[in-house]
């Protein structure tokens, strides 16, 4: 009887791990889809923007990323 219980417990553990893996993979796919949509929106906005880069491209990118981070912080 103990061997059957151990087998059952092991199978339940294996099934739980498989389910948790599927949930995590679904979360990753959802995050990937959101990031792709955000990138598309940003690309569309920047495509029509009239931007004067002052201080070099790296400074512009740093400010852009900082502004996005600030906006996300305020949105929470």
């Amino acid at each position: 009887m103990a061997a059957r219980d151990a087998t059952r417990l092991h199978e339940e553990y294996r099934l739980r791990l498989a389910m948790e893996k599927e949930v995590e993979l679904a979360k990753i796919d959802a995050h990937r889809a959101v990031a792709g949509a955000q990138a598309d929106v940003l690309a569309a906005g920047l495509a029509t923007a009239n931007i004067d880069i002052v201080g070099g491209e790296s400074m512009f990118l740093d400010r852009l990323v900082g502004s996005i981070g600030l906006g996300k912080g305020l949105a929470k």
Side-chain angles (χ1 to χ4, degrees), residues 6-73:
T7 301
R8 182 180 52 80
L9 288 174
H10 177 73
E11 182 64 17
E12 288 174 358
Y13 176 74
R14 188 187 67 76
L15 290 172
R16 187 171 47 253
L17 282 178
M19 181 184 65
E20 290 173 5
K21 176 185 171 188
E22 292 301 317
V23 168
E24 291 301 317
L25 288 173
K27 285 181 186 179
I28 291 170
D29 285 341
H31 287 292
R32 184 180 302 136
V34 168
Q38 289 174 337
D40 290 343
V41 168
L42 183 61
L46 291 176
T48 59
N50 184 11
I51 299 172
D52 254 343
I53 297 176
V54 178
E57 290 183 23
S58 65
M59 181 184 265
F60 170 74
L61 184 60
D62 291 341
R63 286 184 178 175
L64 177 65
V65 170
S67 297
I68 292 170
L70 178 65
K72 288 181 97 175

